[in-house]
Amino acid sequence: MRMVFKNVLNGTFDDGTGNHWNPGEFESNVCIILQIERRLENVRLVSHNAHKRMVMCLQGNVGSDVEKRHKKLPLTALSQSMLDGGSQLGDESFIGKMMEVCGEAESKLAFEQSQHEVQLERDILEPLNQLAEVDIPNLLKQRKHLAKLVLDFDSVKARYQQATKAYPSAANAQAMAAKVDTLKEEMDEAQNKMEICKDQLAADMYNFSSKEGEYACYYVLLLEAQAEYHRRALASIESVLPSIQSQQDKWTEKPAFGTALEEHLKRTSREIALPIEACIMMLLETGMQEEGLFRIAAGASKLKKLKAALDCSTSQLEEFYFDPHAVAGALKSYLRELPEPLMTYQLYEEWIQASNISDPDKRLQALWVVCDMLPKANKTNFRYLVKFLAKLALESDINKMTASNIAIVLGPNLLWARTEGSLAEMAATTSVHVVSIIELIINHASWFFPEGQSLFHAVSPLPCSPANKQPEIAPRRAGTINKKQHSMPNFQPPLPPIDAGGLPVFELSPLLPTGGGLEAGQAGAALPQTHQPLVQQTAENR
């Protein structure tokens, strides 16, 4: 075909009568046709490759309807597996419930995918396949056929011209004339076939060029179909997510360790976190006279087992009554693994500032104010813990755990800085302040928390406690703890002054650097000077 059109452009084609084609008349159209011709093979190749890759993206059987395709999709197999698993586990298993709900959701997604793939085949893959495997190959065949017709025409034309030249000198003029006429008829017929084929091919090429925009739209339709599929799939998922979230929220058996305090209390409808209350109940029964409680490390496997038991809210805790150090270790771990310390990040600077006040009475007053600023849930659990620690310190003659010792081992688990850094850096900047804060609060627990004086006086054993077990009086360990005797302070500061609205009349001073305390001359500036003197000697405290 290209050779034919080049011949036309060069003016080398004639009809056998010496009348040549006018190249200027067809030059513009022929150039367009040649450009289209050059694109044909490339369009066929890229369309074929695109079709092949699209088919590879399909997960169903090509050519099947929606239902048959749905049955063969991997998502359908996943859905069925999840539904079978949920049925096997039953409704008493939360995993089983979630598998059933999510399995139904996956089945809906599989149905959406099967519809999407059928649409892709109908609207995109079949037209692309028609273009690459039928339409363009037909044009290429037609071009080859035209080339054959041109060769046939050239052959008969050459024989006609040769016969015409030989006719005047031929011996048998009549026979030669008949031959020339026959060749002329053959040449005219070949030319006619060639012209018809050439016109048909040109028309088909023009038609292909006019539809190129339509062919290009197949790729746009692909994106639009994918967008619509993903919208439907997203809507299908979003329709089931609220139900899943609701079931998750209702399921109370979730880990307590590492969960925010507010979330854990809300989920379990408790005021005191389960690990705190359970551990304290067990320690009150069997651990109050255990030497080195909170200081002596428990066995790692036993501690891990107790934490796991508390996480799943089991009542089978009998074995841990006989290992107070594991119980104390679990309580320490719970406090340390809270996403936010029990004494809160928000009040960290206030705690440190209060601990920097040099005057003992004013320091206590400032700590009382900060403690009163704790969120309700944090304050309730902190009060519960401090009351227990104060009770534990009363047994320090036996358990060797004075308020100071308790503060040293538990303080870093109750308050730490939000800033990131190594454990050594954090310990260097906060441990001294935190230990002094916790020690003061333990020593003055009844002043910081005057309510609930009899918090542990009539403790009901946990459902898991041994039936007739008596607390063990004699310590099981000795010689490993500081034997410094604890003595109560010789003063009892009064409560902070209260205004008509029920609030303390003093405020904390602006935040101080956490690296050191106030100078002696600055102590009076931390709090107003209007409150009463705090240090009062009493015979009971001596």
mmCIF file of all heavy atoms in Angstrom, residues 39-59:
data_model
loop_
_atom_site.group_PDB
_atom_site.id
_atom_site.type_symbol
_atom_site.label_atom_id
_atom_site.label_comp_id
_atom_site.label_asym_id
_atom_site.label_seq_id
_atom_site.Cartn_x
_atom_site.Cartn_y
_atom_site.Cartn_z
ATOM 1 N N ARG A 39 0.910 4.249 11.870
ATOM 2 C CA ARG A 39 0.453 4.050 13.248
ATOM 3 C C ARG A 39 -0.237 2.711 13.453
ATOM 4 O O ARG A 39 -0.392 2.264 14.593
ATOM 5 C CB ARG A 39 -0.526 5.168 13.645
ATOM 6 C CG ARG A 39 0.133 6.519 13.885
ATOM 7 C CD ARG A 39 -0.719 7.354 14.813
ATOM 8 N NE ARG A 39 -2.077 7.543 14.323
ATOM 9 C CZ ARG A 39 -2.469 8.527 13.501
ATOM 10 N NH1 ARG A 39 -1.562 9.394 13.063
ATOM 11 N NH2 ARG A 39 -3.722 8.629 13.101
ATOM 12 N N LEU A 40 -0.694 2.098 12.386
ATOM 13 C CA LEU A 40 -1.520 0.899 12.517
ATOM 14 C C LEU A 40 -0.833 -0.189 13.341
ATOM 15 O O LEU A 40 -1.412 -0.719 14.297
ATOM 16 C CB LEU A 40 -1.872 0.344 11.139
ATOM 17 C CG LEU A 40 -3.040 1.000 10.410
ATOM 18 C CD1 LEU A 40 -3.189 0.411 9.018
ATOM 19 C CD2 LEU A 40 -4.324 0.821 11.197
ATOM 20 N N GLU A 41 0.379 -0.525 12.973
ATOM 21 C CA GLU A 41 1.058 -1.630 13.635
ATOM 22 C C GLU A 41 1.340 -1.307 15.103
ATOM 23 O O GLU A 41 1.202 -2.165 15.983
ATOM 24 C CB GLU A 41 2.363 -1.958 12.909
ATOM 25 C CG GLU A 41 3.116 -3.155 13.484
ATOM 26 C CD GLU A 41 2.289 -4.433 13.431
ATOM 27 O OE1 GLU A 41 1.469 -4.564 12.486
ATOM 28 O OE2 GLU A 41 2.455 -5.288 14.321
ATOM 29 N N ASN A 42 1.734 -0.057 15.380
ATOM 30 C CA ASN A 42 2.002 0.333 16.763
ATOM 31 C C ASN A 42 0.733 0.280 17.610
ATOM 32 O O ASN A 42 0.748 -0.185 18.756
ATOM 33 C CB ASN A 42 2.609 1.730 16.816
ATOM 34 C CG ASN A 42 4.050 1.749 16.357
ATOM 35 O OD1 ASN A 42 4.742 0.732 16.441
ATOM 36 N ND2 ASN A 42 4.509 2.886 15.860
ATOM 37 N N VAL A 43 -0.370 0.772 17.044
ATOM 38 C CA VAL A 43 -1.635 0.741 17.782
ATOM 39 C C VAL A 43 -2.045 -0.703 18.051
ATOM 40 O O VAL A 43 -2.518 -1.041 19.136
ATOM 41 C CB VAL A 43 -2.734 1.498 17.005
ATOM 42 C CG1 VAL A 43 -4.098 1.290 17.654
ATOM 43 C CG2 VAL A 43 -2.410 2.984 16.924
ATOM 44 N N ARG A 44 -1.886 -1.549 17.065
ATOM 45 C CA ARG A 44 -2.235 -2.958 17.259
ATOM 46 C C ARG A 44 -1.386 -3.576 18.364
ATOM 47 O O ARG A 44 -1.901 -4.307 19.238
ATOM 48 C CB ARG A 44 -2.029 -3.737 15.959
ATOM 49 C CG ARG A 44 -2.547 -5.181 16.025
ATOM 50 C CD ARG A 44 -1.926 -6.032 14.959
ATOM 51 N NE ARG A 44 -0.507 -6.244 15.207
ATOM 52 C CZ ARG A 44 -0.035 -7.139 16.081
ATOM 53 N NH1 ARG A 44 -0.854 -7.881 16.792
ATOM 54 N NH2 ARG A 44 1.267 -7.277 16.240
ATOM 55 N N LEU A 45 -0.082 -3.274 18.376
ATOM 56 C CA LEU A 45 0.820 -3.869 19.351
ATOM 57 C C LEU A 45 0.494 -3.403 20.773
ATOM 58 O O LEU A 45 0.375 -4.214 21.698
ATOM 59 C CB LEU A 45 2.267 -3.526 18.995
ATOM 60 C CG LEU A 45 3.344 -4.081 19.929
ATOM 61 C CD1 LEU A 45 3.301 -5.610 19.926
ATOM 62 C CD2 LEU A 45 4.722 -3.577 19.523
ATOM 63 N N VAL A 46 0.341 -2.082 20.954
ATOM 64 C CA VAL A 46 0.088 -1.576 22.306
ATOM 65 C C VAL A 46 -1.295 -1.993 22.796
ATOM 66 O O VAL A 46 -1.497 -2.256 23.991
ATOM 67 C CB VAL A 46 0.255 -0.042 22.362
ATOM 68 C CG1 VAL A 46 1.674 0.349 22.017
ATOM 69 C CG2 VAL A 46 -0.731 0.675 21.465
ATOM 70 N N SER A 47 -2.269 -2.072 21.899
ATOM 71 C CA SER A 47 -3.610 -2.515 22.291
ATOM 72 C C SER A 47 -3.589 -3.978 22.716
ATOM 73 O O SER A 47 -4.244 -4.369 23.692
ATOM 74 C CB SER A 47 -4.597 -2.310 21.145
ATOM 75 O OG SER A 47 -4.700 -0.940 20.792
ATOM 76 N N HIS A 48 -2.823 -4.767 21.984
ATOM 77 C CA HIS A 48 -2.689 -6.181 22.335
ATOM 78 C C HIS A 48 -2.047 -6.345 23.708
ATOM 79 O O HIS A 48 -2.524 -7.138 24.543
ATOM 80 C CB HIS A 48 -1.853 -6.894 21.268
ATOM 81 C CG HIS A 48 -1.500 -8.300 21.637
ATOM 82 N ND1 HIS A 48 -2.387 -9.358 21.494
ATOM 83 C CD2 HIS A 48 -0.353 -8.827 22.150
ATOM 84 C CE1 HIS A 48 -1.805 -10.466 21.902
ATOM 85 N NE2 HIS A 48 -0.573 -10.182 22.302
ATOM 86 N N ASN A 49 -0.971 -5.584 23.970
ATOM 87 C CA ASN A 49 -0.287 -5.684 25.265
ATOM 88 C C ASN A 49 -1.176 -5.207 26.413
ATOM 89 O O ASN A 49 -1.203 -5.811 27.487
ATOM 90 C CB ASN A 49 1.013 -4.884 25.237
ATOM 91 C CG ASN A 49 2.061 -5.513 24.338
ATOM 92 O OD1 ASN A 49 2.015 -6.716 24.064
ATOM 93 N ND2 ASN A 49 3.006 -4.716 23.872
ATOM 94 N N ALA A 50 -1.895 -4.094 26.186
ATOM 95 C CA ALA A 50 -2.789 -3.578 27.226
ATOM 96 C C ALA A 50 -3.885 -4.579 27.544
ATOM 97 O O ALA A 50 -4.217 -4.824 28.717
ATOM 98 C CB ALA A 50 -3.390 -2.242 26.784
ATOM 99 N N HIS A 51 -4.455 -5.166 26.504
ATOM 100 C CA HIS A 51 -5.503 -6.170 26.709
ATOM 101 C C HIS A 51 -4.966 -7.363 27.502
ATOM 102 O O HIS A 51 -5.625 -7.875 28.429
ATOM 103 C CB HIS A 51 -6.040 -6.629 25.352
ATOM 104 C CG HIS A 51 -7.076 -7.701 25.436
ATOM 105 N ND1 HIS A 51 -6.748 -9.043 25.491
ATOM 106 C CD2 HIS A 51 -8.424 -7.641 25.497
ATOM 107 C CE1 HIS A 51 -7.841 -9.758 25.569
ATOM 108 N NE2 HIS A 51 -8.888 -8.936 25.569
ATOM 109 N N LYS A 52 -3.772 -7.784 27.153
ATOM 110 C CA LYS A 52 -3.172 -8.929 27.842
ATOM 111 C C LYS A 52 -2.959 -8.629 29.319
ATOM 112 O O LYS A 52 -3.263 -9.476 30.188
ATOM 113 C CB LYS A 52 -1.835 -9.269 27.166
ATOM 114 C CG LYS A 52 -1.105 -10.446 27.787
ATOM 115 C CD LYS A 52 0.200 -10.699 27.039
ATOM 116 C CE LYS A 52 0.982 -11.852 27.670
ATOM 117 N NZ LYS A 52 2.258 -12.098 26.968
ATOM 118 N N ARG A 53 -2.457 -7.427 29.651
ATOM 119 C CA ARG A 53 -2.203 -7.074 31.051
ATOM 120 C C ARG A 53 -3.513 -6.896 31.814
ATOM 121 O O ARG A 53 -3.597 -7.228 33.004
ATOM 122 C CB ARG A 53 -1.367 -5.792 31.127
ATOM 123 C CG ARG A 53 0.014 -5.929 30.509
ATOM 124 C CD ARG A 53 0.809 -7.030 31.181
ATOM 125 N NE ARG A 53 2.099 -7.243 30.520
ATOM 126 C CZ ARG A 53 2.966 -8.186 30.865
ATOM 127 N NH1 ARG A 53 2.666 -9.016 31.847
ATOM 128 N NH2 ARG A 53 4.097 -8.327 30.224
ATOM 129 N N MET A 54 -4.523 -6.352 31.161
ATOM 130 C CA MET A 54 -5.814 -6.210 31.825
ATOM 131 C C MET A 54 -6.407 -7.564 32.182
ATOM 132 O O MET A 54 -6.970 -7.756 33.260
ATOM 133 C CB MET A 54 -6.785 -5.426 30.932
ATOM 134 C CG MET A 54 -6.493 -3.951 30.818
ATOM 135 S SD MET A 54 -7.744 -3.095 29.835
ATOM 136 C CE MET A 54 -6.919 -1.547 29.492
ATOM 137 N N VAL A 55 -6.286 -8.503 31.280
ATOM 138 C CA VAL A 55 -6.810 -9.848 31.543
ATOM 139 C C VAL A 55 -6.075 -10.467 32.730
ATOM 140 O O VAL A 55 -6.682 -11.157 33.562
ATOM 141 C CB VAL A 55 -6.668 -10.733 30.295
ATOM 142 C CG1 VAL A 55 -6.973 -12.191 30.615
ATOM 143 C CG2 VAL A 55 -7.589 -10.238 29.189
ATOM 144 N N MET A 56 -4.782 -10.201 32.845
ATOM 145 C CA MET A 56 -4.006 -10.742 33.955
ATOM 146 C C MET A 56 -4.453 -10.148 35.290
ATOM 147 O O MET A 56 -4.261 -10.768 36.343
ATOM 148 C CB MET A 56 -2.514 -10.479 33.735
ATOM 149 C CG MET A 56 -1.921 -11.250 32.563
ATOM 150 S SD MET A 56 -0.204 -10.805 32.215
ATOM 151 C CE MET A 56 0.589 -11.346 33.719
ATOM 152 N N CYS A 57 -5.043 -8.945 35.264
ATOM 153 C CA CYS A 57 -5.522 -8.315 36.495
ATOM 154 C C CYS A 57 -6.835 -8.932 36.979
ATOM 155 O O CYS A 57 -7.199 -8.754 38.141
ATOM 156 C CB CYS A 57 -5.701 -6.813 36.291
ATOM 157 S SG CYS A 57 -4.162 -5.907 36.047
ATOM 158 N N LEU A 58 -7.538 -9.600 36.091
ATOM 159 C CA LEU A 58 -8.809 -10.216 36.477
ATOM 160 C C LEU A 58 -8.541 -11.452 37.315
ATOM 161 O O LEU A 58 -7.604 -12.205 37.062
ATOM 162 C CB LEU A 58 -9.621 -10.585 35.236
ATOM 163 C CG LEU A 58 -9.960 -9.446 34.268
ATOM 164 C CD1 LEU A 58 -10.797 -9.978 33.114
ATOM 165 C CD2 LEU A 58 -10.683 -8.316 34.984
ATOM 166 N N GLN A 59 -9.384 -11.673 38.308
ATOM 167 C CA GLN A 59 -9.225 -12.827 39.185
ATOM 168 C C GLN A 59 -10.261 -13.910 38.912
ATOM 169 O O GLN A 59 -10.150 -15.011 39.422
ATOM 170 C CB GLN A 59 -9.309 -12.386 40.650
ATOM 171 C CG GLN A 59 -8.207 -11.413 41.029
ATOM 172 C CD GLN A 59 -8.209 -11.080 42.511
ATOM 173 O OE1 GLN A 59 -8.656 -11.876 43.338
ATOM 174 N NE2 GLN A 59 -7.732 -9.908 42.852
#
